[in-house]
Amino acid sequence: MDKFVIEGPTPLQGTIPISGSKNAALPLMAAAILGDSPTTITNIPKLRDIYTFNNVIRVTGCRVEFNEDEGILTIDPKNLNHYEAPYELVRKMRASFYMLGALLGKYGEAKVSLPGGCAWGPRPVDLHLDGMRAMGANIELEEGYVIANAPKELEGGTFTLEPSSVGATVNLVLAAVLRAKEFTIKNAAKEPDVVLLCEKLAEMGADIEGIGTRTLTIRKVDSLQGISARNASDRIETGTFMIAAAMHPQSNITLTNVDVDDLGHFPETFRKIGAEMNINGDSIHIKAPDHITPTSIKTKVYPGFPTDLQAQWATMMTQANGESKVTDTIYDDRFSYVPELVRLGADIDVKKNTAHISGKTKLKGASVMSTDLRASVSLVLAGMVAEGETDVLRIYHLDRGYEDLEEKLTNVGANITRAEQKE
Ligand code: EPU
């Protein structure tokens, strides 16, 4: 197992290219198996979750080729003949559960392992299953697996997502496009990842009304064709590096290959901390403020503040002059990073779903670790402004979701090395 050894504090200066988005790529990859011909997707990041999903798709008999140097993925569904996503792979990555919608949609049968819990709570899939039942599919649970069946045509109907869910919207769209006579999803997610999926499915030949709104109506088509598609750039990686750039008063960073339109209200909120921010086409230039203005946030569905950036924001707020609050309304208990930041010297108190942060605190290096992706990257952000050496343990979480993280940060002045972690 590897760890990062970070020497701080260091200002960041230079250019960071933003990678393709993991969370946008995974639905597109699942959609590719619905086609009758190969789909090629560009701007695919080299991340552990992408390799895992490649293997999930290969289990079904599809051919998957990943040109890592070019970031181009080709999925040929011609030989798909096995309708299963096994526990050994699904437990590594929850999004493998998208295979349920894709296989049910294309072949009318699927056997997909239930994903189980995750580092910060149960993360249910009831809406995915109830939505498919509402569509008319037969869904049974057997020994940790979901067994799904559907005739050639499902009647469809209407299903309301409460709460709105990215994953359930993706799975229901995948299931419906080739199978449901008419199916309406109310309170559908409209995160950019969902919108891109729907747009690309429409390009493949799907009939989806209401793309980009909270009501999607899908009418079955007989077949879909493979396409060439560009994957979105990673909006969470973008936000993470914007925050990194604001945390040291001498930092000055340009982010390139950004999909600015996917950032929702985040840039407006970011401006409130006092940073200089210039957006020019697909580049964002950030100059850190001398003093960070304390700014409270509450996570919301898109275009509101993303839950995937709240840990990074709270970390930045430890360096703001005053009190702030970070409230997560999507996941109540996504605060596993707090005790670790406190070990570095932060003053944070969690009450219910809100972290109360008192800044500015001087952080001092220590060994820290975390059990999820966004929490781990927050510890890297903290390590870059902490005095002395910070060891971030168990960085395999980072390898799931941040492409070339240490290389990108080292290139702009951070002092980060990857070392073997002895247990
Ligand atoms: N929910 C239910 N029942 C369900 C599904 C969801 O109650 O059947 C609830 C969840 O418990 C949560 C809310 O609905 O309170 C929203 O969850 P959602 O389903 O939207 O999350 P997800 O699809 O499982 C994706 C991202 C997450 C991100 C969330 C929220 C992917 C692969 N994952 O998860 O990303 O936090 O949306 O935006 O796209 C990450 O990248 O680190 C990550 C965890």
Side-chain angles (χ1 to χ4, degrees):
M1 209 182 303
D2 288 349
K3 64 176 180 178
F4 279 163
V5 179
I6 307 174
E7 280 286 343
T10 45
L12 305 178
Q13 285 169 358
T15 299
I16 305 180
I18 298 300
S19 296
S21 159
K22 159 179 88 75
N23 290 351
L26 299 168
L28 294 181
M29 291 162 69
I33 75 172
L34 296 177
D36 286 342
S37 49
T39 283
T40 298
I41 313 170
T42 59
N43 203 28
I44 296 286
K46 299 186 292 294
L47 292 174
R48 205 155 58 92
D49 277 5
I50 298 289
Y51 294 104
T52 302
F53 206 41
N54 283 347
N55 289 335
V56 173
I57 294 175
R58 284 188 184 114
V59 168
T60 66
C62 292
R63 184 174 61 84
V64 180
E65 270 172 32
F66 186 20
N67 177 339
E68 294 156 304
D69 295 336
E70 304 286 330
I72 300 175
L73 185 71
T74 304
I75 298 173
D76 183 353
K78 195 173 69 204
N79 296 327
L80 199 160
N81 59 9
H82 189 68
Y83 314 127
E84 182 175 346
Y87 176 64
E88 300 76 68
L89 291 170
V90 178
R91 78 185 166 86
K92 289 189 183 163
M93 190 190 66
R94 285 179 55 84
S96 311
F97 202 59
Y98 290 158
M99 293 305 275
L100 181 64
L103 291 172
L104 181 71
K106 181 128 187 192
Y107 286 98
E109 53 182 296
K111 179 179 178 192
V112 175
S113 168
L114 281 163
C118 81
W120 72 84
R123 293 186 76 191
V125 288
D126 54 321
L127 295 170
H128 303 231
L129 304 183
D130 291 347
M132 287 181 202
R133 287 188 182 112
M135 206 181 289
N138 180 34
I139 306 280
E140 310 277 349
L141 300 184
E142 253 175 48
E143 296 171 355
Y145 277 79
V146 180
I147 315 283
N149 294 288
K152 201 163 170 34
E153 181 171 282
L154 291 171
E155 207 43 47
T158 298
F159 186 72
T160 303
L161 292 173
E162 198 50 65
S164 183
S165 155
V166 173
T169 307
V170 168
N171 239 338
L172 294 176
V173 168
L174 290 169
V177 282
L178 285 173
R179 209 152 280 270
K181 205 164 144 195
E182 183 170 309
F183 186 62
T184 298
I185 308 171
K186 291 207 165 147
N187 201 24
K190 57 172 188 169
E191 267 65 6
D193 315 345
V194 173
V195 175
L196 182 67
L197 168 73
C198 292
E199 284 172 354
K200 293 303 157 193
L201 279 169
E203 244 175 86
M204 292 171 78
D207 181 352
I208 307 175
E209 198 182 298
I211 297 177
T213 73
R214 293 235 166 264
T215 304
L216 295 173
T217 297
I218 298 145
R219 292 178 194 90
K220 167 184 185 297
V221 294
D222 290 336
S223 65
L224 297 173
Q225 296 313 311
I227 55 165
S228 292
R230 173 189 175 273
N231 178 36
S233 291
D234 195 319
R235 63 197 173 98
I236 304 300
E237 189 196 19
T238 304
T240 301
F241 288 139
M242 287 169 74
I243 290 170
M247 285 181 63
H248 190 293
Q250 269 103 49
S251 289
N252 207 325
I253 283 289
T254 302
L255 305 177
T256 56
N257 192 36
V258 177
D259 282 347
V260 173
D261 291 344
D262 287 354
L263 300 178
H265 297 157
F266 183 76
E268 269 167 56
T269 310
F270 184 80
R271 239 183 246 287
K272 294 186 187 158
I273 65 162
E276 250 179 59
M277 177 177 62
N278 290 305
I279 300 179
N280 190 354
D282 67 356
S283 300
I284 302 185
H285 179 84
I286 309 282
K287 190 173 169 319
D290 292 335
H291 304 284
I292 298 172
T293 309
T295 309
S296 298
I297 58 100
K298 217 179 238 188
T299 66
K300 301 241 168 70
V301 294
Y302 189 83
F305 195 99
T307 171
D308 291 342
L309 284 173
Q310 63 94 337
Q312 299 90 312
W313 192 269
T315 305
M316 173 170 67
M317 285 301 126
T318 68
Q319 301 306 296
N321 292 328
E323 315 276 315
S324 58
K325 287 189 257 182
V326 166
T327 303
D328 200 326
T329 68
I330 313 278
Y331 298 113
D332 290 353
D333 48 2
R334 201 177 185 181
F335 293 102
S336 68
Y337 61 89
V338 168
E340 302 298 301
L341 287 181
V342 169
R343 298 190 67 240
L344 295 175
D347 182 352
I348 311 180
D349 193 21
V350 178
K351 289 197 191 91
K352 292 193 178 145
N353 62 341
T354 299
H356 300 255
I357 305 147
S358 301
K360 175 180 183 172
T361 42
K362 207 170 174 46
L363 303 183
K364 276 195 81 176
S367 285
V368 286
M369 73 173 182
S370 192
T371 44
D372 86 82
L373 173 59
R374 309 302 170 187
S376 299
V377 83
S378 302
L379 301 177
V380 174
L381 299 184
M384 290 192 297
V385 294
E387 203 76 49
E389 183 179 307
T390 300
D391 285 10
V392 180
L393 310 181
R394 299 205 176 170
I395 54 166
Y396 60 84
H397 296 294
L398 291 168
D399 295 333
R400 283 189 44 209
Y402 284 91
E403 189 180 43
D404 302 330
L405 182 67
E406 74 266 39
E407 193 185 317
K408 288 185 183 185
L409 289 171
T410 306
N411 283 345
V412 294
N415 191 343
I416 305 182
T417 45
R418 190 182 278 257
E420 196 190 331
Q421 175 186 329
K422 300 196 176 65
E423 283 294 319

